[in-house]
Amino acid sequence: MDNGNGDENLADDGRAIRTGTLMTASAHIITAVIGSGVLSLAWAMAQLGWIGGIIALVTFSLITWFTSVLLADCYRHPVTGSRNHTYSEVVRANLGGIKIQFCGLAQYTTLIGVRIGCTITTAISMAAVKRSDCFHKHGHAAGCHTSNNLFMMIFGVIQIVLSQIPDISELSMLSIIAAVMSFTYSTIGLGLSIAKIVGAHVKTSLTGVYVGDEVSSSQKIWSCFQAIGNIAFAYAYSLVLVEIQDTLKSSPPENTVMRKATLIGISISTMFYMLCGVLGYAAFGNNAPGNFLTGFGFYEPFWLVDFANLCIIVHLVGAYQVYGQPVYGFVESWCRKKWPQSGFIAREYPIPTPFGSTFNFNFFRLVWRTAYVIFTTVVATMLPFFNDFLGLMGAASFWPLTVYFPIEMYISQAQIRRFSPAWIYMQLLSLLCLIVSLLAAAGSIQGLIKSVQTYKPFQSIS
């Protein structure tokens, strides 16, 4: 199978023929990039201010684009030219050694964390819809208490069903729908922000939240670090870039298409991020909420806010799957190699569908993926801290997966001479990003500790 078996339905690596295009790759990227991170950008801008916030958004977008191009060029094996199907395989082909384990730990830990973040965010949006309807029906004086835990469980059930989709190549339509939803709720948020800006003047500043009676200088510093982590999380898609590239057709070359898709995806995402962050900060000022769509007070037009939150829910249903498939693929591939004779693990049962195609059912896939979704759901119910969690995930993934490995692999593949100007520039960039990630992680951990101290599990909120 590795050398091809003559089957016209199989590629030269024994896998199904790839059908991915520039459009599907761009949709996957937009689905992965424009996610729950966009909701925290107004809050991040409030911590950093006009100067720091805009500089951070532009800088992170440029770094992500640059290193994504490097990673795309490392997709094929440097010697044999064969495909590498996962991020870890790319690292194995270009670097090898202990770095393979380091990459796997960073990637899969972050992927699990991102899915927990998707669960938290979706539950917040579901609860926002319920509370909005309650306020509209009973008045703004009503308590309208609600718990996010029930909505996390509902989301988990949905994901158990969708997780039976075998691999990321079959998620194209879901990603396209999710990408449309991300544009929709971002646009609604922009419209509501503009309306709020027109209706009232709020206090903003070049440096963000003022140090004073309510915010100490140390709290300001921690919040700035956490805000940087939130922005880093907003651009955290490199951990699934290889898996997206692996869905592309062989012609034109995958790295050529991926370069274009990366430019399209990150350009569109940055445009929306700038608009959401800038207008969200202008609308709410230094009191910007952690999730700017839930900060419009659940007031009129309540149906528009509801619709925006429903779009978030649909988008994150797709994003959860895009970020989950690499984990699914890694575990299932390892198990098939470990127990090749096991019918429970390897046997597929084709089931006809009403659309004329067949769906391959597998018992091991059902059991293990269900257990995985349950695990992420339970963790989300225990640690439902939106901004703190996003900041930590952004800090954990940004340096190793977005910067360090793409740079090291490109240096190795392009045989860039040690201490040459290009080598020095790339190493300085990597070092700077490491420092930023450590500071962002420290700020997010401090925020998590502070939140845990006052958190009461399984309690309704109002």
Side-chain angles (χ1 to χ4, degrees):
M1 292 288 286
D2 290 337
N3 298 318
N5 61 358
D7 191 330
E8 62 180 7
N9 295 318
L10 297 178
D12 57 1
D13 58 356
R15 298 196 177 198
I17 294 290
R18 275 75 165 184
T19 58
T21 62
L22 176 63
M23 185 184 73
T24 61
S26 299
H28 284 316
I29 292 171
I30 293 170
T31 299
V33 177
I34 303 181
S36 53
V38 71
L39 303 174
S40 66
L41 293 181
W43 178 88
M45 284 285 296
Q47 311 312 307
L48 299 171
W50 289 116
I51 298 176
I54 292 176
I55 290 175
L57 283 170
V58 173
T59 302
F60 275 96
S61 68
L62 291 175
I63 292 173
T64 303
W65 168 77
F66 173 68
T67 57
S68 295
V69 169
L70 300 184
L71 181 57
D73 285 344
C74 296
Y75 169 66
R76 289 277 184 173
H77 194 285
V79 178
T80 66
S82 59
R83 287 177 177 264
N84 290 297
H85 310 298
T86 66
Y87 199 127
S88 295
E89 288 184 18
V90 175
V91 174
R92 178 181 288 107
N94 288 277
L95 298 177
I98 192 66
K99 293 179 180 179
I100 301 172
Q101 286 73 34
F102 175 42
C103 170
L105 177 64
Q107 183 186 16
Y108 295 115
T109 300
T110 304
L111 285 169
I112 294 171
V114 169
R115 298 188 91 183
I116 294 170
C118 287
T119 305
I120 295 170
T121 310
T122 305
I124 291 173
S125 293
M126 289 180 172
V129 172
K130 182 178 179 181
R131 295 184 66 204
S132 174
D133 293 344
C134 174
F135 285 129
H136 180 73
K137 183 177 181 180
H138 300 290
H140 300 146
C144 293
H145 297 272
T146 186
S147 172
N148 291 347
N149 295 325
L150 174 62
F151 298 113
M152 291 185 189
M153 294 175 188
I154 293 172
F155 182 72
V157 171
I158 294 171
Q159 292 303 336
I160 287 174
V161 175
L162 290 177
S163 290
Q164 302 316 307
I165 298 174
D167 56 63
I168 194 171
S169 64
E170 299 182 34
L171 291 174
S172 296
M173 184 55 64
L174 184 61
S175 283
I176 291 172
I177 293 172
V180 171
M181 292 297 102
S182 66
F183 286 129
T184 303
Y185 70 70
S186 297
T187 302
I188 292 173
L190 294 176
L192 292 171
S193 296
I194 292 172
K196 191 173 178 64
I197 293 169
V198 172
H201 176 72
V202 295
K203 184 180 295 185
T204 63
S205 71
L206 294 177
T207 57
V209 175
Y210 296 106
V211 175
D213 295 333
E214 295 184 2
V215 179
S216 66
S217 57
S218 61
Q219 288 175 325
K220 168 74 174 179
I221 294 173
W222 288 121
S223 295
C224 287
F225 291 162
Q226 186 180 336
I228 292 172
N230 276 239
I231 295 174
F233 177 83
Y235 284 101
Y237 99 99
S238 296
L239 63 169
V240 292
L241 183 147
V242 174
E243 284 76 4
I244 293 173
Q245 190 167 350
D246 195 45
T247 67
L248 295 173
K249 299 176 183 177
S250 298
S251 181
E254 303 90 356
N255 65 328
T256 301
V257 177
M258 202 64 190
R259 281 168 172 258
K260 295 178 181 178
T262 296
L263 181 60
I264 292 171
I266 294 181
S267 297
I268 293 174
S269 301
T270 300
M271 179 184 70
F272 271 84
Y273 282 179
M274 290 294 290
L275 289 172
C276 290
V278 169
L279 293 181
Y281 181 41
F284 294 103
N286 292 336
N287 293 320
N291 179 338
F292 90 120
L293 266 183
T294 62
F296 291 99
F298 309 105
Y299 297 102
E300 307 297 341
F302 83 100
W303 60 269
L304 187 59
V305 179
D306 283 358
F307 180 66
N309 280 295
L310 288 173
C311 290
I312 293 174
I313 294 166
V314 174
H315 172 255
L316 291 179
V317 166
Y320 187 98
Q321 288 301 313
V322 170
Y323 280 110
Q325 288 296 336
V327 180
Y328 294 156
F330 169 75
V331 172
E332 289 158 19
S333 176
W334 183 85
C335 289
R336 282 193 295 269
K337 292 178 181 177
K338 185 72 174 179
W339 299 284
Q341 305 302 321
S342 173
F344 173 73
I345 293 174
R347 186 172 180 181
E348 300 279 348
Y349 298 87
I351 301 174
T353 67
F355 306 104
S357 58
T358 57
F359 173 78
N360 291 322
F361 174 79
N362 176 274
F363 280 107
F364 174 67
R365 186 159 56 233
L366 173 65
V367 172
W368 119 256
R369 293 190 181 189
T370 299
Y372 178 80
V373 173
I374 291 173
F375 167 75
T376 58
T377 304
V378 170
V379 174
T381 60
M382 296 171 62
L383 298 170
F385 310 120
F386 180 71
N387 292 96
D388 303 322
F389 203 86
L390 294 193
L392 183 58
M393 288 300 99
S397 65
F398 177 67
W399 177 72
L401 299 174
T402 301
V403 180
Y404 174 74
F405 282 115
I407 285 177
E408 290 299 312
M409 289 188 293
Y410 186 79
I411 288 175
S412 174
Q413 190 170 100
Q415 298 182 343
I416 295 177
R417 185 169 52 85
R418 194 177 182 86
F419 298 115
S420 65
W423 185 90
I424 293 173
Y425 161 73
M426 290 186 179
Q427 295 298 337
L428 286 175
L429 176 63
S430 181
L431 177 61
L432 177 63
C433 291
L434 171 60
I435 295 172
V436 170
S437 289
L438 291 174
L439 293 176
S444 298
I445 291 172
Q446 190 272 345
L448 275 172
I449 294 173
K450 186 176 178 181
S451 298
V452 168
Q453 290 174 344
T454 58
Y455 174 61
K456 296 181 181 180
F458 309 111
Q459 187 177 43
S460 64
I461 60 174
S462 61

